[in-house]
Amino acid sequence: MISRVNYPIWSITSWLIALALMAPVAVMVFSGLTANSDTLTHLWQTVLPHYVVNTLLLALYVVVLVILFGVPTAAIVSLTNLKTRNVLRWALLLPLAMPAYVIAYLYTDLFDYAGPIQRQLRALFSWQSPNDYWFFDLRTLTGAAVMIALVLFPYVYMLVRTAFEHQDPQLIKAGKSLGLSDKQCFLRISLPLARPAIAVSASLVLMETLADFATVQYFAVNTLTTAVYDTWLEYGELSTANAIASLLMIMVLLSVAAEYRARAHQRHQLSASKEPLTMIILTPIQQIIGNIYCWLLVLAGFIFPFVLLLDMTIQYLDSTEFEQLIQAGMNSLKVSIYAATIASILALFLVLYRRLSGVKRSEVPLLLSGYGYAIPGTVLAMALLATFGPLDHWINDLAVWLNLSKPGLVLSGSLFAVIFALITRFSAIANGTITSGITKIPQSLDIAPESLGVGKLHTVLKVHLPLLKSSFIVAWLLVFVEAMKELPAVLVLRPFNFDTLSTQVYQMISDERLEQGAIGALFIVLFGLLPIIVLNKKEKIH
Amino acid sequence: MSDILTINQLSVSLQKNTILADINLSLTSGEILGLVGPSGCGKTTLLNTIAGFNQLNSGSIIIDKLCINNTNPVPAEKRNVGVIFQDYALFPHLTVWQNIAFGLSKETKEEQKLRIEKLLILLGLMPQAQKFPHQLSGGQQQRVAIARSLAVRPKILLLDEPFSNIDARLRNGLMIELRHLLKSLNISAIFVTHNKDEVFSFADKIALMHHGKIIQAGTPREVFDHPNCWQVADFLQIGSWLPVNVREKQVSTVLGDFTVEDLILNNGEHFVLLVKPQYISLIPGNANSVVKHISFTEHGYHYLLSSIDSSDPLAFEDLSFYSQSLLSLEQEVRLQLIPHSYQLFAHQTHSFST
């Protein structure tokens, strides 16, 4: 047994960090459960069941769609000799950079009654009114599901592709030696083996879908996230909002549990392949179909909206409100840099604690601090309001009692709440990145310096930190980008008159004038491309 | 007996490198062939080509009247060749029963059940039927892989390093067990190994490969007694090498001189003498060798000796020799060749530091 040094301060601080990050959610659930308002009863008797059904339907549609989009593309890119597969490998990740609400707006603009497509059709067939023809309505639950699926399917694509690529190629050979054709090998070996990866990625998508706010809001599809927001803003009922948020939280926890179960069965997936996979050779017709399928998704999920956005930016450059945008951009940078820096440092602290303390329970702070990722931004915002609001009151009461001037809403009404929310929500990303970095450092390096007469703390400074530098940078970048994109939490918690790029873009979308802020959306997308480039680079190095 | 497998002038290139050249081989029904050779000599490629995982460039493979060549490249799934992979390649998401049933989809449920039960009993896997591969020991996994292959009644069974993942202590027992099984079912098999002991205890016939060619094939006894070139003797570690000087029919070595009758000399060719440990004896007199390494084995002490005068052009190194008497390290002794049927091999240089 290797002797481990235990710094009590380190251990206590780790637990405190984790508890602090999770405390607001506990407070919210408690306040939600004890909510006893007429509004809740009223909501339950009127619209809430409908919202729950909408939420469940949206989740179901999105999950079905992302599997339909993600699994075949993953199979085509990793298992066949498709001509453009080397480009598609990364091109299929691009939609991740597009916020769903932005493509929702762009496509609505395009397919609306007043949009160019319908105008052209009317001109072409000389139709006079909407009664003369049928055209699909994008602003429905199904439309929202398609929009969300178009930008989230890369999660499924990415994880399932990795699963296919890591399958032992000998299993396919074994299948063939037992008389199975390519197609049978795929259906009976590759696909069942990728099932855990499909389940994990689908539950990730599920969490993201339950967290979506702006798309459904824009399409006027009422779900639990919009209900939380409306209850808080329209009725001013924090505890009712908390109750609905708690309900949503339960749904999220169920999908977290599902994900956990799926991961538990992933053990047999770990064999890294020694030899290249034998490719399924496609016939010319299959080549064409495969290319069309994959490229349509890239086109619809990224290229097309990106071009529309670019076009909008150029066309409306004159009427763009630059001053506002620059202010919002600076604000975005500010909160994102704070959040990324603090989250990465906390992750480093927790990961090192877990590694060096060596006791089993040291894992708990790391796990706890990661659960924030599953909490929808709207729910998290409610949790922080429920916690920081009363705290602010106490602080003010205390100030009065001490004969000091009232400090105001120092916690709930300032950037503190926004940054706290971003850290809680995206700590998991930093934790995961730095954990995967530290597992690449051999355990023997933890103790080798001791044999050279070097102390533990010095070891951390001289060995672990330098080796973790690149993981730290990647973690920082990933959190930075996610913080940049986060909308609902910032929307609820931001101080008065404070806008970030995402809240401003959302505002402009709500006002149906994205044209004037298209450049802001373009920036969000461009920042969103950063992690894709980083991920792609990392993959090439390995 | 009729041939179940015939390979004629087979050549295979992968990424423009010739991996196999002009391979000729045949296997009768129920025969077990051991394919040996150093790493990278093309053993696994030959196995993969027979199985259908590689394309052949020229020549033909005939598996029980099914002729496979350039114009008729039969896909792997149509060849009826069973393969046991080095890591067994069991399907991790299926139970033992489901693994064995995997290739049986063409038969009725009742036939499948009978067949699987028979194999489970034959291989002693009945208690494991409902377990998953990761719950089994290495030996059990291998038996599942064998049962899975046998289920589809293959014409030949190919085994890629079948014993490399098995505990050394259990290996011998498993080899004997598997040989009995294949013999009792009269199944022809080819197995690849780089362990010479496995060939000698498992195969009816061995084929030694070097640089993509089969350089010698025959029964283990034939090959062991009469290796046809130094690579064969060297790979099978039949004995040690003694540099010699040949003049007419007179051969001189550090350990003594002798004459040979039927040696054909080519200009500039060097020769080395293959010395099996049993043809060396320890005698009193002027020392000519020094003990460089001692180990204890089940056959007594095993010594590696070098000649005392290392500047001698005929100086030798690492001469292998067994004795019941204990010598000490750096002890100088006199060794002598015991007269026998001498085996001389042509070789470019004297050194064998492989």
Side-chain angles (χ1 to χ4, degrees):
Chain A
M1 184 71 198
I2 298 160
S3 74
R4 299 283 183 175
V5 178
N6 250 321
Y7 293 104
I9 296 174
W10 198 339
S11 161
I12 292 166
T13 318
S14 297
W15 280 91
L16 281 180
I17 292 169
L19 292 177
L21 289 178
M22 290 314 290
V25 179
V27 173
M28 176 199 77
V29 174
F30 181 74
S31 111
L33 288 176
T34 52
N36 188 18
S37 73
D38 297 337
T39 323
L40 187 62
T41 329
H42 170 70
L43 282 174
W44 190 248
Q45 281 163 356
T46 53
V47 288
L48 208 51
H50 179 58
Y51 290 3
V52 172
V53 170
N54 270 354
T55 308
L56 289 174
L57 273 183
L58 183 76
L60 178 73
Y61 288 175
V62 172
V63 166
V64 169
L65 284 173
V66 291
I67 289 174
L68 280 179
F69 294 165
V71 177
T73 47
I76 290 170
V77 168
S78 56
L79 303 175
T80 75
N81 68 334
L82 193 81
K83 286 280 187 289
T84 55
R85 56 195 286 266
N86 287 333
V87 184
L88 278 172
R89 248 184 97 77
W90 56 265
L92 279 163
L93 291 171
L94 292 175
L96 273 183
M98 276 287 165
Y101 55 89
V102 171
I103 72 161
Y105 181 84
L106 294 170
Y107 281 129
T108 306
D109 210 34
L110 194 69
F111 293 119
D112 234 10
Y113 181 73
I117 303 271
Q118 290 203 45
R119 266 208 319 269
Q120 293 292 329
L121 284 174
R122 281 197 298 273
L124 198 64
F125 298 103
S126 30
W127 291 322
Q128 299 302 320
S129 73
N131 298 330
D132 294 344
Y133 63 103
W134 177 90
F135 200 81
F136 66 86
D137 185 9
L138 197 60
R139 296 178 71 158
T140 56
L141 183 92
T142 319
V146 173
M147 294 299 110
I148 294 172
L150 270 181
V151 298
L152 291 184
F153 84 88
Y155 280 115
V156 178
Y157 158 74
M158 190 162 59
L159 292 183
V160 176
R161 188 194 74 193
T162 314
F164 282 145
E165 281 169 354
H166 283 211
Q167 280 172 5
D168 186 352
Q170 297 213 317
L171 292 175
I172 302 297
K173 287 186 179 175
K176 291 198 166 186
S177 79
L178 293 169
L180 264 65
S181 66
D182 283 339
K183 197 178 124 203
Q184 288 170 317
C185 281
F186 174 72
L187 291 177
R188 293 187 56 193
I189 305 170
S190 304
L191 202 55
L193 281 175
R195 224 170 45 194
I198 297 173
V200 168
S201 54
S203 51
L204 275 176
V205 169
L206 195 62
M207 284 180 221
E208 293 279 343
T209 309
L210 293 178
D212 176 80
F213 164 73
T215 319
V216 284
Q217 168 92 354
Y218 178 62
F219 278 7
V221 175
N222 289 311
T223 63
L224 287 177
T225 26
T226 59
V228 172
Y229 188 76
D230 292 345
T231 318
W232 163 228
L233 280 188
E234 283 171 26
Y235 299 96
E237 287 253 8
L238 186 57
S239 62
T240 313
N242 278 334
I244 303 172
S246 302
L247 187 62
L248 184 54
M249 193 62 211
I250 290 165
M251 286 192 182
V252 172
L253 283 180
L254 286 176
S255 60
V256 173
E259 197 233 327
Y260 217 79
R261 268 184 65 92
R263 272 193 208 277
H265 291 293
Q266 242 191 343
R267 181 163 37 160
H268 61 243
Q269 277 283 296
L270 292 172
S271 76
S273 60
K274 291 153 269 174
E275 42 185 318
L277 284 168
T278 37
M279 292 291 153
I280 296 172
I281 309 295
L282 299 180
T283 62
I285 303 266
Q286 289 170 328
Q287 285 273 358
I288 293 168
I289 296 170
N291 267 309
I292 290 176
Y293 191 71
C294 294
W295 282 107
L296 263 184
L297 284 169
V298 179
L299 211 65
F302 185 79
I303 297 176
F304 199 51
F306 189 78
V307 170
L308 284 176
L309 214 49
L310 211 60
D311 179 59
M312 239 179 215
T313 308
I314 296 164
Q315 251 188 52
Y316 291 86
L317 210 56
D318 294 336
S319 57
T320 302
E321 291 158 357
F322 278 109
E323 219 165 290
Q324 271 187 33
L325 272 171
I326 291 170
Q327 188 54 47
M330 297 306 283
N331 286 343
S332 272
L333 281 178
K334 192 162 130 192
V335 291
S336 306
I337 287 173
Y338 272 126
T341 310
I342 298 171
S344 306
I345 290 173
L346 292 184
L348 197 63
F349 191 87
L350 294 178
V351 170
L352 279 171
Y353 166 65
R354 179 205 168 173
R355 167 76 170 246
L356 297 176
S357 89
V359 285
K360 189 107 180 84
R361 62 173 187 280
S362 66
E363 209 172 344
V364 181
L366 194 63
L367 280 176
L368 270 185
S369 69
Y371 274 124
Y373 188 64
I375 306 169
T378 345
V379 175
L380 192 57
M382 286 305 127
L384 293 190
L385 286 179
T387 317
F388 292 158
L391 272 181
D392 272 335
H393 284 295
W394 290 338
I395 291 171
N396 283 299
D397 290 347
L398 190 71
V400 170
W401 187 71
L402 290 171
N403 273 333
L404 297 167
S405 63
K406 277 192 181 186
L409 301 176
V410 279
L411 300 177
S412 59
S414 69
L415 275 190
F416 176 82
V418 175
I419 294 166
F420 193 100
L422 292 173
I423 294 168
T424 311
R425 198 151 145 61
F426 302 122
S427 269
I429 301 174
N431 290 352
T433 313
I434 294 178
T435 301
S436 87
I438 209 164
T439 47
K440 291 193 188 89
I441 303 175
Q443 292 272 356
S444 57
L445 283 191
D446 297 357
I447 44 170
E450 269 175 273
S451 69
L452 302 168
V454 177
K456 263 273 153 37
L457 211 58
H458 207 66
T459 305
V460 169
L461 291 176
K462 290 277 177 193
V463 179
H464 294 88
L465 291 187
L467 287 174
L468 286 174
K469 202 170 82 186
S470 69
S471 321
F472 185 86
I473 294 170
V474 174
W476 191 93
L477 200 66
L478 292 176
V479 177
F480 174 80
V481 172
E482 285 298 327
M484 200 87 179
K485 284 181 8 191
E486 172 63 29
L487 174 67
V490 182
L491 201 59
V492 177
L493 292 171
R494 68 196 163 134
F496 184 67
N497 244 345
F498 178 91
D499 260 312
T500 63
L501 277 183
S502 55
T503 61
Q504 186 152 52
V505 167
Y506 165 77
Q507 204 56 56
M508 288 180 163
I509 285 176
S510 303
D511 302 348
E512 303 272 345
R513 53 182 187 101
L514 180 65
E515 291 74 7
Q516 285 152 7
I519 196 165
L522 203 60
F523 267 108
I524 296 180
V525 173
L526 289 176
F527 272 114
L529 287 175
L530 280 177
I532 296 170
I533 296 166
V534 171
L535 283 175
N536 204 44
K537 241 188 167 162
K538 264 183 90 173
E539 197 178 66
K540 270 186 189 151
I541 293 166
H542 292 305
Chain B
M1 245 187 293
S2 64
D3 282 352
I4 196 87
L5 173 76
T6 312
I7 298 176
N8 290 319
Q9 295 172 318
L10 175 76
S11 293
V12 173
S13 302
L14 297 175
Q15 277 114 37
K16 288 177 186 151
N17 296 319
T18 305
I19 310 291
L20 298 177
D22 196 26
I23 300 279
N24 292 292
L25 202 65
S26 68
L27 204 62
T28 58
S29 181
E31 199 172 31
I32 301 176
L33 171 79
L35 212 51
V36 280
S39 309
C41 69
K43 304 180 296 259
T44 302
T45 307
L46 179 54
L47 223 56
N48 280 338
T49 313
I50 299 170
F53 304 138
N54 284 342
Q55 299 284 320
L56 52 82
N57 293 69
S58 63
S60 67
I61 299 172
I62 302 163
I63 302 168
D64 194 27
K65 300 182 193 92
L66 174 71
C67 183
I68 300 149
N69 55 32
N70 244 337
T71 50
N72 185 29
V74 180
E77 63 266 27
K78 300 267 159 65
R79 292 193 183 189
N80 209 352
V81 171
V83 183
I84 309 290
F85 296 90
Q86 193 172 353
D87 58 4
Y88 315 130
L90 297 179
F91 302 119
H93 59 304
L94 303 178
T95 61
V96 168
W97 180 286
Q98 290 166 328
N99 260 285
I100 300 173
F102 196 84
L104 289 176
S105 46
K106 289 182 196 84
E107 293 164 39
T108 65
K109 282 274 170 253
E110 196 51 35
E111 282 170 344
Q112 286 188 25
K113 188 167 174 280
L114 281 174
R115 180 97 189 122
I116 296 164
E117 274 173 357
K118 195 177 154 197
L119 285 163
L120 285 171
I121 293 165
L122 187 67
L123 288 149
L125 286 166
M126 218 38 175
Q128 277 77 37
Q130 296 311 320
K131 287 189 180 165
F132 283 93
H134 66 90
Q135 297 169 305
L136 305 178
S137 72
Q140 287 169 336
Q141 289 184 11
Q142 189 192 44
R143 292 212 294 271
V144 177
I146 292 165
R148 185 179 68 180
S149 287
L150 294 182
V152 293
R153 297 185 173 85
K155 297 278 193 315
I156 326 166
L157 201 58
L158 306 177
L159 305 100
D160 189 2
E161 309 230 4
F163 306 109
S164 63
N165 284 338
I166 307 273
D167 208 302
R169 206 170 54 81
L170 301 173
R171 200 175 293 166
N172 225 15
L174 266 175
M175 262 190 279
I176 294 167
E177 208 178 291
L178 183 55
R179 193 180 150 83
H180 275 309
L181 179 75
L182 293 177
K183 286 289 167 193
S184 67
L185 297 172
N186 197 33
I187 287 184
S188 314
I190 301 180
F191 75 103
V192 154
T193 179
H194 53 249
N195 182 335
K196 63 167 178 126
D197 297 330
E198 283 178 17
V199 202
F200 290 136
S201 54
F202 193 63
D204 298 319
K205 197 165 142 183
I206 84 170
L208 207 128
M209 291 188 68
H210 191 74
H211 288 325
K213 292 187 167 155
I214 292 179
I215 48 178
Q216 190 173 7
T219 66
R221 179 75 200 245
E222 280 163 17
V223 177
F224 190 80
D225 285 349
H226 306 287
N228 65 2
C229 63
W230 75 265
Q231 285 96 339
V232 173
D234 195 53
F235 182 79
L236 296 176
Q237 291 169 285
I238 291 169
S240 332
W241 296 107
L242 205 57
V244 297
N245 193 2
V246 185
R247 199 157 287 160
E248 305 276 305
K249 289 176 171 24
Q250 190 67 28
V251 180
S252 47
T253 78
V254 175
L255 303 187
D257 301 345
F258 54 91
T259 53
V260 282
E261 292 303 324
D262 52 354
L263 194 66
I264 304 147
L265 281 178
N266 289 326
N267 256 351
E269 215 169 25
H270 286 288
F271 280 89
V272 282
L273 176 69
L274 175 67
V275 192
K276 295 183 182 170
Q278 64 265 37
Y279 295 129
I280 300 173
S281 68
L282 200 59
I283 55 163
N286 283 345
N288 54 12
S289 314
V290 56
V291 178
K292 286 293 182 194
H293 179 79
I294 307 170
S295 54
F296 185 73
T297 73
E298 68 265 44
H299 312 298
Y301 294 103
H302 178 221
Y303 299 103
L304 291 179
L305 301 109
S306 298
S307 42
I308 292 177
D309 181 8
S310 58
S311 63
D312 189 326
L314 295 181
F316 60 86
E317 276 176 2
D318 294 341
L319 189 73
S320 184
F321 167 63
Y322 289 88
S323 171
Q324 296 300 333
S325 49
L326 178 61
L327 305 175
S328 56
L329 211 57
E330 298 297 332
Q331 186 177 344
E332 297 188 347
V333 294
R334 181 169 180 82
L335 294 181
Q336 193 188 36
L337 286 174
I338 297 170
H340 61 287
S341 160
Y342 296 104
Q343 290 177 304
L344 284 165
F345 292 92
H347 187 256
Q348 296 88 337
T349 62
H350 285 311
S351 75
F352 284 93
S353 51
T354 43

